[in-house]
Amino acid sequence: MKKPMFTLDPLTRKRIDRFKQIKRGYWSWRALLVLVILSLFSELFINSRAIVVSYEGKLYFPTYGAVIPGTTFGLDYQYETNYRELSKTLKANGKGWVLMPLVPYSAYEQDFKEGVYPPYAPSLVSRHFLGTDSIGRDIVARLVYGFRIAILFSLAYVFITFFIGTVIGCLMGYWGGWFDTIFQRIIEIWEQVPFLYVVMIVGSIYKPNFAIFLLIFIIFGWSSRTWRVRAMTYRERERDYILAAKAMGASTWRIISVHIVPNVLVVIVTMLPFAISGAISSLTALDYLGFGLRPPTPSWGELISQGISAYKTAPWILTSVVSAMTVILVMIAFIGEGLRDAFDPKKFTVYK
Amino acid sequence: MSAATPIIEVKGLVQHFAQGRFSGNRIVHALNGVDIAVREGETLGLVGETGCGKSTLCRAMMRLYKPTSGSVYFEGKDITKLRERDLRFVRRSMQMIFQDPAESMNSRLNVGYIIEEPLLIQTKLSAPERKEIALALLREVGLPEDSYLRYPHEFSGGQRQRIAIARALALEPKVLVCDEPVSALDVSVQSQVLNLLMQLQRERKLTMIFVSHALSVVRHMSDRVAVMYLGNVMELADSLTIYHEPRHPYTKALIAAIPQPDPSRRFDKIPFTGEIPSPIDLPSGCPFRLNCPERIERCETEKPALREVAPGHHCACHLVG
């Protein structure tokens, strides 16, 4: 027998069906899902390492794994092979072939042409499809890897803060009394700490890495997630089914996880997309101001700041990053709007 | 009275609810010193108007509330101050049926899970064993077995109440507390559910506490009836006695208000004077004195105690006995 707990209840199924009917939300969801999954494997599409190298009859897959020194392929250096050069060499001496990714540059690598200073304009020949930034790094690579970091960051941030916020909010609403009062006051005080200033102070003292940055965001982000859950829990806990569960001797944890959370999940789900786009925006803003992740890390904020300082000589930097950001944020907003309408009890919104 | 210890006994039970922490001393006096004993195997009816504390008494007996003062005994054991984890045996042996079956179950869970949940909490039975019990219960309350994987909203009110009954019976409780189990149902299905409850009580030898504001329903179901007013028990007697020889002025007024289809047998209506006092500001003395047609001076100063005025007949009135 299938466990009844894990089957979807009819209400949830109806909501999912309704979400699928809201075309732009559903298509944005699918497109974004594809983008996120592709970005997780972006080493296969955008990388200075080759996908496959055939050398003297042997096949090499350098994408993931340790550095392969140039001597392996009969070159005269010990450091990592330059696969773009190798491709030319092998074509000349006929000892094998190299399959390069679509964009044969990594996000960190500087590509210099002789006699010209970067930024280089977009070019199909050099495979810098959106050009390079002012120190010669490929913009497509920077954009995609920057997107990957931003989206993973905001997903982790949003899910962790919502988890903490839901647990504490539920307990506040369910226990009420002193626990509620004390946590309300703690949160009210905590929310007065100016979060962005704290991040800037920490960011200016030492450049934080991904984990520390996430931790700071979480420490200041969980509290605002508690309010709505707390209010919903207050409403739910007075209902008879909670009393019935208590009469059966259900534990607090059971009442919260089996009975209350599924019924307050609506507010959480409808808030999620907007929280995610908010997190992407604030990460970008911090990077733009230079208080974000440590510099060589690819980031949209840093691209925007480069683009602004060079928008006359290299307009492709600003155009590409702003377009990318607009598309992503609009898609997330569409998803959020679709979810909100799918979960709306008054479900007669007209779409045009 | 039988010599055996009553299965549930409450003594001087007081239940207050504070209304908001900062709104001064607004305290709702839901129960004001209730003494009542429930004998094993009987059906005790609780009647009274809305807000008189019937449901609160039930929930306090089940220890879903923490009593303000007074004590609750279950099978002779004081359970007033027990902590939730020590109440497990009480939870196993007392189960409750609520007024609105749609409200009393989580609509996101299917019927199988709803019925099995008490087993999941209280026993270590395996999934197939639980399913077997749930299916047997569904048959017992007269629902098809394919209800198992369906959801509460797919059923009618009467069927949903049957699901609630099946859930309440899953742990094979000794006491079944029915808090207005039929008032949310259509008249046409009320009697079906009542008959099911009576049949189950006979078969399983349940002790039942039956709350209702419909006097005819209570008479049909109960062995004894307690009449409540403003958090007090006013009169307690066998249901026949209550209906034929009510002693307390409040009970008399209630009985006289039962719609009587036969015009020749109609009682004279007893006029009900004044407004019902608020449970926040209790009247001094007898709680019923403001509405009582027979009040005397003593009612204002002294609260009448619940005394035995005839064998098995208790009444709280200065004028009786």
Side-chain angles (χ1 to χ4, degrees):
Chain A
M1 189 194 84
K2 227 177 160 187
K3 267 198 171 176
M5 249 184 90
F6 299 112
T7 57
L8 282 176
D9 61 282
L11 187 59
T12 314
R13 248 181 283 147
K14 209 181 277 175
R15 282 170 174 165
I16 293 173
D17 286 345
R18 174 141 177 83
F19 179 65
K20 284 182 185 168
Q21 284 167 13
I22 302 170
K23 287 285 174 279
R24 64 182 177 208
Y26 186 50
W27 282 101
S28 301
W29 159 250
R30 296 178 103 174
L32 192 71
L33 200 67
V34 169
L35 283 182
V36 171
I37 291 171
L38 281 184
S39 80
L40 292 180
F41 298 102
S42 47
E43 277 87 355
L44 293 173
F45 309 102
I46 302 160
N47 204 345
S48 57
R49 290 184 179 184
I51 303 174
V52 191
V53 179
S54 166
Y55 180 70
E56 295 183 327
K58 263 179 89 182
L59 286 180
Y60 298 85
F61 300 94
T63 308
Y64 299 103
V67 168
I68 303 176
T71 47
T72 317
F73 302 113
L75 302 172
D76 53 358
Y77 49 85
Q78 283 290 336
Y79 49 87
E80 177 159 28
T81 319
N82 182 337
Y83 293 96
R84 292 190 298 273
E85 294 300 314
L86 180 69
S87 179
K88 288 175 198 158
T89 321
L90 290 186
K91 211 175 259 175
N93 64 20
K95 281 184 177 171
W97 47 267
V98 176
L99 178 64
M100 287 305 285
L102 192 62
V103 178
Y105 302 98
S106 84
Y108 299 98
E109 178 192 30
Q110 288 164 277
D111 183 34
F112 294 115
K113 287 179 189 161
E114 258 170 65
V116 202
Y117 287 110
Y120 305 125
S123 143
L124 289 178
V125 179
S126 66
R127 296 237 201 160
H128 288 301
F129 295 110
L130 293 173
T132 71
D133 67 4
S134 41
I135 52 171
R137 296 176 296 196
D138 186 74
I139 287 186
V140 176
R142 301 288 292 172
L143 273 182
V144 171
Y145 284 91
F147 168 70
R148 175 159 89 174
I149 287 171
I151 197 87
L152 289 182
F153 176 84
S154 39
L155 285 176
Y157 163 67
V158 165
F159 280 107
I160 294 172
T161 51
F162 269 105
F163 180 76
I164 300 173
T166 308
V167 170
I168 291 179
C170 272
L171 288 177
M172 281 165 73
Y174 184 73
W175 281 337
W178 282 112
F179 184 83
D180 188 25
T181 313
I182 288 171
F183 256 90
Q184 277 185 61
R185 299 295 92 76
I186 291 176
I187 291 169
E188 276 162 12
I189 296 167
W190 193 239
E191 291 206 324
Q192 298 314 308
V193 179
F195 158 62
L196 279 176
Y197 288 111
V198 174
V199 178
M200 284 177 190
I201 291 164
V202 175
S204 58
I205 295 168
Y206 63 102
K207 287 286 169 194
N209 62 17
F210 188 85
I212 292 174
F213 212 64
L214 187 60
L215 193 71
I216 301 172
F217 262 69
I218 288 168
I219 288 173
F220 288 95
W222 66 270
S223 55
S224 59
R225 317 286 192 219
T226 54
W227 297 126
R228 290 195 198 188
V229 175
R230 170 182 169 273
M232 288 285 283
T233 309
Y234 255 109
R235 205 183 71 190
E236 291 295 318
R237 75 157 190 189
E238 295 304 328
R239 292 179 54 184
D240 278 349
Y241 72 89
I242 300 293
L243 206 62
K246 263 191 215 168
M248 291 169 206
S251 61
T252 304
W253 175 248
R254 180 179 187 86
I255 289 175
I256 288 182
S257 61
V258 177
H259 297 292
I260 292 180
V261 168
N263 283 299
V264 303
L265 214 58
V266 184
V267 283
I268 302 171
V269 171
T270 46
M271 277 158 75
L272 271 180
F274 302 107
I276 289 174
S277 64
I280 293 179
S281 314
S282 46
L283 183 68
T284 308
L286 284 170
D287 281 336
Y288 169 71
L289 295 171
F291 297 112
L293 296 167
R294 204 177 281 142
T297 318
S299 93
W300 289 1
E302 189 244 22
L303 274 178
I304 292 178
S305 96
Q306 275 196 37
I308 286 176
S309 58
Y311 73 96
K312 274 186 185 151
T313 49
W316 56 86
I317 304 178
L318 196 61
T319 14
S320 41
V321 64
V322 168
S323 324
M325 198 165 156
T326 312
V327 168
I328 296 296
L329 293 185
V330 164
M331 282 204 303
I332 295 175
F334 280 165
I335 296 172
E337 178 201 55
L339 276 179
R340 200 187 53 205
D341 288 337
F343 280 61
D344 190 355
K346 304 185 286 282
K347 49 179 183 181
F348 295 102
T349 325
V350 178
Y351 280 88
K352 285 179 183 161
Chain B
M1 280 237 182
S2 65
T5 34
I7 187 156
I8 306 169
E9 193 172 11
V10 296
K11 286 181 183 164
L13 192 66
V14 177
Q15 183 78 56
H16 291 171
F17 296 105
Q19 253 193 356
R21 216 166 302 133
F22 304 108
S23 52
N25 292 330
R26 284 168 63 83
I27 289 172
V28 179
H29 301 79
L31 295 177
N32 306 302
V34 173
D35 296 282
I36 207 166
V38 187
R39 302 174 197 151
E40 193 155 1
E42 77 168 344
T43 302
L44 176 72
L46 291 179
V47 292
E49 58 203 55
T50 308
C52 71
K54 305 176 301 259
S55 297
T56 311
L57 179 59
C58 290
R59 290 168 190 188
M61 277 180 181
M62 295 190 71
R63 275 290 276 105
L64 290 171
Y65 296 142
K66 208 177 162 72
T68 312
S69 69
S71 35
V72 185
Y73 298 87
F74 179 75
E75 293 183 322
K77 192 171 187 293
D78 188 352
I79 59 166
T80 323
K81 295 208 165 60
L82 288 188
R83 296 166 58 170
E84 192 56 47
R85 77 169 84 104
D86 303 316
L87 278 170
R88 281 182 81 90
F89 77 99
V90 182
R91 300 273 178 257
R92 275 196 84 136
S93 26
M94 286 171 89
Q95 281 296 314
M96 193 162 183
I97 298 169
F98 293 84
Q99 177 174 358
D100 184 355
E103 262 294 289
S104 74
M105 5 190 163
N106 188 344
S107 53
R108 285 157 188 282
L109 303 172
N110 64 27
V111 172
Y113 190 85
I114 288 173
I115 297 177
E116 285 177 19
E117 191 175 15
L119 298 167
L120 211 64
I121 295 167
Q122 295 279 357
T123 65
K124 290 196 171 69
L125 294 176
S126 66
E129 287 169 321
R130 285 201 305 268
K131 187 173 183 183
E132 203 174 300
I133 293 176
L135 291 177
L137 283 165
L138 281 175
R139 279 194 299 272
E140 197 174 345
V141 298
L143 288 173
E145 284 192 4
D146 65 4
S147 314
Y148 188 83
L149 283 176
R150 289 160 71 189
Y151 286 84
H153 70 88
E154 298 171 48
F155 295 88
S156 69
Q159 288 173 318
R160 249 180 262 163
Q161 198 59 293
R162 286 168 192 267
I163 298 168
I165 294 171
R167 171 176 71 177
L169 293 176
L171 289 170
E172 300 183 353
K174 293 176 186 158
V175 183
L176 191 61
V177 177
C178 309
D179 189 357
E180 308 211 22
V182 294
S183 19
L185 305 181
D186 287 348
V187 181
S188 54
V189 291
Q190 284 191 358
S191 60
Q192 294 172 18
V193 172
L194 291 175
N195 288 337
L196 173 68
L197 282 172
M198 284 168 80
Q199 178 202 338
L200 288 169
Q201 189 202 14
R202 267 199 311 278
E203 285 167 4
R204 291 173 170 251
K205 304 207 171 15
L206 290 168
T207 306
M208 217 151 82
I209 296 169
F210 190 89
V211 177
S212 181
H213 52 245
L215 293 155
S216 48
V217 171
V218 173
R219 176 166 58 183
H220 183 61
M221 297 291 294
S222 327
D223 302 318
R224 290 195 304 154
V225 175
V227 180
M228 291 186 71
Y229 186 80
L230 215 62
N232 295 279
V233 176
M234 304 308 257
E235 191 164 7
L236 169 66
D238 293 336
S239 59
L240 279 179
T241 321
I242 283 269
Y243 284 95
H244 294 290
E245 305 165 44
R247 299 263 186 125
H248 196 283
Y250 177 60
T251 321
K252 283 181 195 163
L254 272 186
I255 303 292
I258 301 179
Q260 179 56 259
D262 180 357
S264 63
R265 289 178 56 199
R266 274 181 191 155
F267 288 91
D268 287 334
K269 292 264 190 303
I270 296 174
F272 204 83
T273 54
E275 281 189 26
I276 300 161
S278 140
I280 295 171
D281 306 301
L282 289 181
S284 64
C286 174
F288 187 55
R289 89 182 148 81
L290 295 176
N291 309 102
C292 185
E294 299 168 36
R295 61 178 168 261
I296 52 171
E297 226 169 85
R298 195 179 161 203
C299 301
E300 210 163 306
T301 48
E302 194 185 331
K303 185 178 172 182
L306 189 67
R307 293 168 294 128
E308 191 158 15
V309 292
H313 191 153
H314 301 255
C315 185
C317 184
H318 294 309
L319 296 169
V320 180

